[in-house]
Amino acid sequence: MSPQLSAVIPVYNEQEGLPLLFERLYPALDALGRSYEVVFVDDGSTDGSVAQLRRQFERRPDVTRVVLLARNAGQHLAILAAFAQTRGAYVITLDADLQNPPEEIARIVAAMDAGADYVGTIRRSRRDVLWRKAASRLMNRLREGTTSIRITDQGCMLRGYHRSVVDAVNHCTEVSTYVPALAYTFARHPVEIEVAHAERMLGQSKYSLYRLVRLNFDLMTGFSTAPLQFFSLAGTVIAVISLLLVAYLAIRRLIVGPEAEGLFTLFGIAFFLIGVALIGLGVVGEYVGRIYEQVRQRPRYTVAAVLEEPRPAAERLAEDRAVSDRPALVAGARVQGAPE
Ligand code: UDP
Ligand code: MG
């Protein structure tokens, strides 16, 4: 009854590109010769995307489901909303803008057939603007240094996750997260393959510099406390050096007498220390802000509607029974803001 594959696609104001996506995605999936479902999740689009998704659902209702979110939740929460609806044994995510060629899904499936439960991808020649590539390289390196997550190309969203990994992700309740990294923490046999990457042909990137910075802070704070440790360490070193400086100046005061020179040097040192303190405060603030969001326990996203074919009652019953077999986990998920 469950399909073999679920393709998950977040859509946010992608009306220009959707027709072409439908045109390429379905043949690519049909060609695999496996049962599949496509789960689109509309992330609060304000253009004609929802109408197009509805039409596509009417065209292929047997293999299409559409999750409509009430408002924009961000790409990663949108994907989590879709994950909650998937039934496939393999779950494959890709972007709606055709930067991830749907024809590459076959290679992810092959890697999963070979035993991988997490298929990461590396964009063979990434087609994005220069500053995006440079920023990604920097963030990749920073993340490698601070977390235990080993992903070569964290930005590529064409990825495959086994049902066991998706189930584990579905039991997480974190508000600000990064799906590939979160899933990685549950993977037992992660692999990486190279895939093609295309330029965004229609529509615009939904990530401004600010949103990218936020996303990378989510990644850093969500998977490591290294930034905090770095500041407690750096703070200790700086405090020791400052103490030595104070002792030195005190001794000079006793031996040489009062001195006015070197005032600006002291200013320089003071400004440096204030700067370090402010950055440290900011880092603490990033964590505190996320803890604050988390403890409020508001729903992470709101599902306005799910377009899907009515399922036979027997199938629904079987699913309900499967769910109530795990009462503890389900109760936890409900309380923590699962949107149902
Ligand atoms: N997206 C989304 N919600 C958002 C931002 C983006 O669902 O708030 C979707 C978007 O429609 C696309 C994917 O996430 O399918 C990747 O976005 P985009 O192509 O703009 O990112 P980029 O390729 O520039 O990193
Ligand atoms: Mg894109």
Side-chain angles (χ1 to χ4, degrees):
M1 269 180 289
S2 306
Q4 286 168 297
L5 308 177
S6 296
V8 167
I9 306 182
V11 175
Y12 182 49
N13 292 342
E14 300 281 3
Q15 64 174 7
E16 296 93 346
L18 283 180
L20 201 60
L21 173 71
F22 300 149
E23 225 170 85
R24 276 176 62 187
L25 176 69
Y26 286 81
L29 289 169
D30 288 329
L32 296 175
R34 303 187 184 212
S35 56
Y36 69 86
E37 61 174 3
V38 183
V39 183
F40 290 103
V41 49
D42 176 76
D43 190 13
S45 297
T46 50
D47 64 354
S49 298
V50 175
Q52 293 200 32
L53 292 173
R54 272 182 200 284
R55 270 201 299 280
Q56 181 60 24
F57 169 67
E58 280 154 20
R59 251 177 253 139
R60 296 291 299 270
D62 51 326
V63 289
T64 308
R65 288 196 291 146
V66 184
V67 182
L68 300 173
L69 298 189
R71 63 192 75 85
N72 184 251
Q75 181 185 357
H76 291 263
L77 287 183
I79 290 175
L80 291 187
F83 271 11
Q85 305 281 341
T86 55
R87 304 192 198 113
Y90 299 170
V91 177
I92 289 143
T93 59
L94 69 159
D95 286 351
D97 58 0
L98 282 175
Q99 287 197 275
N100 308 133
E103 297 76 20
E104 297 284 71
I105 292 175
R107 311 199 29 235
I108 292 182
V109 171
M112 295 185 85
D113 281 344
D117 62 353
Y118 176 104
V119 183
T121 48
I122 306 163
R123 291 168 281 194
R124 206 172 292 126
S125 54
R126 182 174 171 191
R127 310 255 182 231
D128 269 317
V129 284
L130 211 65
W131 70 266
R132 287 281 304 259
K133 288 198 251 189
S136 283
R137 252 199 307 278
L138 181 74
M139 289 317 300
N140 265 317
R141 202 160 305 152
L142 216 58
R143 193 228 343 113
E144 288 284 320
T146 53
T147 69
S148 55
I149 292 159
R150 297 286 156 260
I151 300 177
T152 309
D153 184 4
Q154 63 187 34
C156 187
M157 290 304 286
L158 176 60
R159 284 164 187 277
Y161 310 100
H162 195 270
R163 167 74 12 214
S164 56
V165 173
V166 172
D167 282 343
V169 167
N170 285 346
H171 282 123
C172 295
T173 55
E174 46 202 83
V175 173
S176 31
T177 196
Y178 202 87
V179 174
L182 181 62
Y184 182 90
T185 60
F186 300 114
R188 291 197 299 162
H189 307 291
V191 299
E192 287 192 324
I193 61 171
E194 283 200 348
V195 292
H197 190 242
E199 239 168 277
R200 185 185 250 277
M201 272 182 296
L202 297 157
Q204 281 174 357
S205 172
K206 306 300 177 292
Y207 282 100
S208 59
L209 180 61
Y210 174 71
R211 282 190 87 169
L212 276 179
V213 170
R214 304 262 5 122
L215 192 67
N216 279 292
F217 268 120
D218 284 347
L219 183 54
M220 203 70 87
T221 56
F223 297 93
S224 152
T225 51
L228 290 174
Q229 276 150 8
F230 171 78
F231 270 98
S232 48
L233 259 172
T236 313
V237 172
I238 290 171
V240 168
I241 295 172
S242 307
L243 193 70
L244 293 178
L245 182 68
V246 168
Y248 169 73
L249 290 177
I251 293 167
R252 269 188 80 95
R253 178 70 174 72
L254 291 177
I255 297 171
V256 188
E259 294 173 291
E261 282 78 28
L263 188 64
F264 288 104
T265 315
L266 270 184
F267 261 127
I269 294 171
F271 284 153
F272 169 73
L273 292 183
I274 293 169
V276 172
L278 286 180
I279 296 174
L281 200 62
V283 170
V284 174
E286 291 293 336
Y287 283 90
V288 174
R290 284 171 176 77
I291 296 168
Y292 172 61
E293 275 182 5
Q294 194 73 46
V295 295
R296 281 185 309 195
Q297 299 207 350
R298 293 193 186 152
R300 298 180 294 172
Y301 48 79
T302 316
V303 177
V306 180
L307 311 181
E308 62 183 340
E309 269 194 333
R311 278 177 294 147
E315 194 179 319
R316 273 205 309 277
L317 203 68
E319 205 162 273
D320 284 350
R321 211 171 293 134
V323 165
S324 56
D325 282 339
R326 302 171 293 170
L329 293 176
V330 172
R334 286 272 150 75
V335 173
Q336 307 278 349
E340 299 88 45

